[in-house]
Amino acid sequence: MNIVVCLKQVPKKDSILRIGADQKWIDERDLSYEMSEADAYALEEALRQKEKHGGEVIVISSGPERVRQSIKEALAKGADRAIHLTDPLFNSGDPAVIARALAGALKNEKFDLIFTGLQSDDYGFAQVGLILAEMLGLPSATIVMEVQPEDSGVRVKRELESGWFQWVKLPMPALLTIQSGINQLRYATLKGIMAAKKKEIKEVKAADIGFTESDAISAQSIQRAYFPEKTKRTEIIEGKPAEAAAKLMEKLRFDARVF
Amino acid sequence: MDYTLTEEQEQLRRLVEDFVAREVKPYEETAGEDFPWPLFRKLGELGLASIPFPTEYGGGGLDYTSYSIVLEELSRLGTHLGSVLAVHGLPQLILNQFGDESQKRKYLPAMARAELLGAFALTEPQAGSDAAAIKTRAELRGDKYILRGQKIWITHGGDADVYLVMAVTEKGKGSKGISSFIIEKGTPGLAFGKRERPMGLAHHTREVFFEDCEAPRSCLVGREGDGFKVAMTALDSGRITVASTSLGLAQSAFDYALSYANERQAFGKSIGEFQGIQFMLADMAAAIEAARCVTRKAAFLRDNGLPFNAIASMAKLLATDAAMKVTTDAVQIYGGYGTSEDYPVQALFRQAKIGQIVEGTNQIQRMIIARELLKKFKQ
């Protein structure tokens, strides 16, 4: 079973973020990066499926030179080969543009499943996977917590709200967006790191996949990035103590949602 | 000249960073004083228990630079696993360099998998810096060596499965009468004393006793009389490892202090805005950078087969002094909170001291450096 895993590199979780000079995104200088968490789980799930059923794990990622480090990490953990979309034309905050680039690069790949993380730790759109499925004409399932390949397709357990789950069956090839916590992440090993030196990282430019300037046009743009603005509002609750307490409880429960 | 890490070194560093944050730190926060077996075994699984030793014996086959980077990272956040790995590395180094084929086959792969833990037993109650003054005797009787004597401050003592032991085989010959042995736990006559509790060492040390300890003749490592050379060779490389773990400690204390200086408010601003604190932070950062450069250079020279013992001593001296200074200043920047066990820097401060003492005190390091400097004037 061949599985493609889409990876995104994002600023490390403990980064100290500053707003960039153009006020549209964070200042990316001096940041350290890591694999987006849900993507790390998607990779782990792919590696586990490969260990059970054989086949190949191919990772694909788009972005500048620094992204290579996350690709290498995936290879060190056990992915077989990688595709790196390096053309600056692919760089976009629009999930449709990224999905278009990924679809172009995957057109000639043979795979049974595509995994993406449920959503990225930076933009958090949760869209790339679904748009990619649409573009490739694949069935898809989101927020996946368990993957069971069967003869005629794949059974997956989806997470719903309030602790509910749902089992869905899809024909293959299919695309699944994987929820964080589906499994336990492995470490790369020293041996894995050394073995990764010999694994293929295919670089893909826009021209290689017929991706044009018009494909890169974003349908959406960021207007302004800013830190949550702190506001302070004081409200005096009037009435007898028992009534005031009841009102306070209501506000804490439904407005502040601390219970 | 290149000061950047290779792709693989950076990957290794990140692997260790991840491991320390996810498992080592949480484990050590709740663990008692027993040896951290689960963490040690995990080092084996990750391929980190034998980084600079040959792949044919299960090692990582990497250079000392990579080893040093891993040790530094393993000592970040004040974790003790870096020291565990460095101590485990001493008997490995000796077996690899001086052991015969059957000794290498018997011990190195199992040590690389972290199935066997190693210890290095040189120091005695009356022989620390003056290592040639050891009194533990080893006498060949038939096909057995009989060992008699006492070692002290032996890291992993009682926990380790194999002990690289220095003992006198020929009295009156001083350093030339010493030989080295690999002794397995369980050998009749090998016994352990109570736990010693050196300041800042989590896993403690023990006395090790040899009470007519009978070891097979095959436990001799190298030739009779080579023991002192063996020990000194191991310590030369060991100094790079102590420098590396001290760097991790120093860096950790600095990171805490920097972030605290930025947060802590006094007189209406963060204390990091006061020049008094700024100068301390600048000196701390400079001391760490300088020590790291010398440590990396020592590793570089070793990796390239160049003489490195004076530089290794400089690295050990500078890095452990830097760790002492930086952790002291970190406590100072934290003020009263710095002395509290609820804050991390006092533990780093306590941990730093022993670095100036182990693997040759920093006074001994100066003697080694001076001897190297003056060597060329002697015939």
Side-chain angles (χ1 to χ4, degrees):
Chain A
M1 194 165 62
N2 297 338
I3 306 175
V4 171
V5 181
C6 302
L7 296 180
K8 184 175 189 182
Q9 195 187 45
V10 296
K12 277 188 90 168
K13 271 202 205 71
D14 57 1
S15 299
I16 298 167
L17 300 178
R18 288 169 302 182
I19 303 291
D22 65 356
Q23 303 269 303
K24 298 208 166 174
W25 189 231
I26 50 171
D27 185 348
E28 295 192 335
R29 286 170 304 175
D30 301 333
L31 284 181
S32 295
Y33 289 85
E34 65 186 359
M35 205 184 288
S36 189
E37 188 182 46
D39 297 350
Y41 283 101
L43 170 68
E44 178 63 42
E45 189 56 31
L47 295 172
R48 286 174 187 226
Q49 293 295 338
K50 175 190 147 177
E51 281 157 7
K52 263 188 252 164
H53 307 289
E56 192 184 35
V57 172
I58 307 142
V59 294
I60 182 165
S61 190
S62 173
E65 177 68 18
R66 61 171 160 77
V67 170
R68 211 180 132 81
Q69 183 258 311
S70 291
I71 291 176
K72 280 279 204 171
E73 185 188 331
L75 294 174
K77 284 184 170 181
D80 298 279
R81 61 190 172 89
I83 302 169
H84 184 184
L85 306 181
T86 53
D87 204 306
L89 205 56
F90 300 134
N91 292 348
S92 173
D94 184 339
V97 174
I98 299 288
R100 205 172 290 133
L102 292 172
L106 292 176
K107 231 172 7 201
N108 297 321
E109 291 289 341
K110 290 212 172 2
F111 53 81
D112 303 290
L113 289 168
I114 299 178
F115 289 174
T116 70
L118 165 62
Q119 60 187 8
S120 64
D121 286 343
D122 51 1
Y123 286 119
F125 287 132
Q127 286 299 305
V128 170
L130 294 175
I131 300 173
L132 176 61
E134 194 60 33
M135 285 174 173
L136 294 172
L138 303 177
S140 62
T142 55
I143 330 181
V144 169
M145 286 300 286
E146 210 174 316
V147 180
Q148 291 182 354
E150 292 178 342
D151 288 342
S152 55
V154 59
R155 268 183 94 229
V156 302
K157 182 176 167 187
R158 297 187 58 237
E159 185 183 289
L160 305 180
E161 287 290 310
S162 311
W164 284 72
F165 292 95
Q166 175 189 48
W167 281 95
V168 190
K169 210 173 155 183
L170 299 88
M172 289 204 279
L175 184 143
L176 309 176
T177 78
I178 306 291
Q179 170 71 305
S180 293
I182 182 175
N183 46 42
Q184 195 145 31
L185 299 180
R186 72 188 64 195
Y187 298 98
T189 62
L190 187 147
K191 257 195 188 133
I193 289 170
M194 292 304 137
K197 278 170 95 166
K198 296 193 195 90
K199 293 180 179 175
E200 179 195 46
I201 302 177
K202 188 168 113 190
E203 294 197 9
V204 173
K205 298 279 182 206
D208 302 333
I209 56 171
F211 187 94
T212 62
E213 299 262 346
S214 67
D215 291 323
I217 295 170
S218 292
Q220 61 183 55
S221 61
I222 294 174
Q223 294 301 299
R224 184 165 83 93
Y226 58 96
F227 286 105
E229 283 157 8
K230 282 185 193 161
T231 55
K232 194 177 166 188
R233 192 162 52 95
T234 308
E235 193 184 331
I236 308 285
I237 299 172
E238 309 279 353
K240 286 181 186 155
E243 288 167 17
K247 257 189 207 163
L248 177 64
M249 276 307 293
E250 194 174 302
K251 286 194 177 293
L252 289 173
R253 186 169 291 138
F254 298 108
D255 296 352
R257 293 185 175 204
V258 291
F259 295 117
Chain B
M1 197 180 286
D2 189 352
Y3 288 99
T4 57
L5 306 190
T6 64
E7 241 174 14
E8 285 72 33
Q9 287 164 346
E10 175 59 15
Q11 274 189 287
L12 262 183
R13 195 198 63 71
R14 278 179 170 259
L15 154 63
V16 177
E17 184 185 28
D18 193 19
F19 174 51
V20 167
R22 263 165 61 187
E23 288 188 52
V24 183
K25 189 70 183 164
Y27 182 92
E28 289 194 354
E29 270 166 4
T30 55
E33 55 184 25
D34 289 339
F35 185 79
W37 289 109
L39 297 179
F40 176 64
R41 305 280 192 233
K42 190 88 191 199
L43 282 180
E45 283 171 36
L46 296 175
L48 299 178
S50 177
I51 294 167
F53 304 111
T55 49
E56 61 171 312
Y57 302 111
L62 299 189
D63 54 16
Y64 248 64
T65 307
S66 305
Y67 186 33
S68 165
I69 291 163
V70 168
L71 286 170
E72 178 179 342
E73 204 59 49
L74 264 184
S75 307
R76 290 289 287 273
L77 304 176
T79 54
H80 297 267
L81 208 54
S83 310
V84 169
L85 184 55
V87 170
H88 182 60
L90 282 176
Q92 286 178 295
L93 182 139
I94 290 170
L95 287 166
N96 180 51
Q97 205 163 332
F98 299 98
D100 61 32
E101 192 54 26
S102 72
Q103 289 169 334
K104 290 185 193 184
R105 294 258 164 247
K106 185 169 181 194
Y107 298 111
L108 288 177
M111 292 177 88
R113 291 191 297 268
E115 288 164 10
L116 294 181
L117 174 66
F120 178 70
L122 170 63
T123 301
E124 297 184 3
Q126 305 301 330
S129 292
D130 184 7
I134 58 168
K135 291 196 169 65
T136 296
R137 290 276 286 145
E139 269 177 79
L140 186 61
R141 249 188 247 158
D143 58 351
K144 279 181 179 153
Y145 279 102
I146 311 296
L147 280 80
R148 266 187 230 115
Q150 178 190 358
K151 301 285 178 184
I152 195 168
W153 305 123
I154 303 308
T155 308
H156 301 166
D159 291 316
D161 304 286
V162 286
Y163 297 79
L164 212 302
V165 179
M166 300 297 153
V168 176
T169 40
E170 199 171 343
K171 250 179 148 173
K173 285 189 80 177
S175 64
K176 294 200 165 52
I178 295 172
S179 305
S180 52
F181 301 88
I182 181 93
I183 308 286
E184 295 178 16
K185 190 177 183 178
T187 304
L190 176 66
F192 305 103
K194 66 173 173 45
R195 266 191 177 135
E196 298 149 333
R197 287 182 162 72
M199 177 174 68
L201 267 194
H203 310 125
H204 307 301
T205 60
R206 277 182 203 268
E207 288 175 291
V208 177
F209 299 103
F210 301 92
E211 295 157 348
D212 289 327
C213 170
E214 283 187 25
R217 190 174 185 166
S218 60
C219 72
L220 177 72
V221 179
R223 284 181 310 215
E224 270 200 22
D226 277 354
F228 193 74
K229 189 179 86 186
V230 167
M232 293 307 121
T233 305
L235 292 179
D236 278 343
S237 295
R239 278 164 196 140
I240 302 176
T241 69
V242 173
S244 307
T245 54
S246 292
L247 278 174
L249 198 66
Q251 185 66 51
S252 185
F254 175 76
D255 292 344
Y256 282 124
L258 181 68
S259 130
Y260 188 77
N262 185 54
E263 284 162 20
R264 171 73 175 177
Q265 300 283 316
F267 306 102
K269 47 185 170 181
S270 73
I271 60 169
E273 288 184 49
F274 293 105
Q275 203 176 44
I277 301 290
Q278 289 176 350
F279 279 15
M280 287 171 86
L281 290 170
D283 287 344
M284 290 157 86
I288 294 171
E289 260 330 300
R292 185 178 289 122
C293 279
V294 179
T295 305
R296 295 267 164 87
K297 181 172 178 185
F300 169 87
L301 292 176
R302 191 189 189 282
D303 291 338
N304 287 278
L306 297 164
F308 68 95
N309 70 333
I311 294 276
S313 284
M314 290 181 200
K316 194 270 179 182
L317 168 68
L318 292 169
T320 56
D321 280 358
M324 197 67 246
K325 177 186 160 46
V326 170
T327 54
T328 304
D329 288 350
V331 172
Q332 191 69 19
I333 288 172
Y334 268 73
Y337 293 104
T339 65
S340 163
E341 288 190 9
D342 294 335
Y343 288 80
V345 286
Q346 53 79 30
L348 299 175
F349 167 78
R350 287 158 52 78
Q351 246 169 284
K353 184 63 211 174
I354 204 158
Q356 294 177 307
I357 298 168
V358 294
E359 304 260 342
T361 63
N362 284 6
Q363 289 66 38
I364 291 288
Q365 304 307 325
R366 288 178 172 90
M367 284 170 57
I368 294 169
I369 296 164
R371 194 165 57 217
E372 279 300 309
L373 296 174
L374 294 166
K375 194 166 73 177
K376 62 183 168 190
F377 298 112
K378 288 189 179 163
Q379 276 309 319

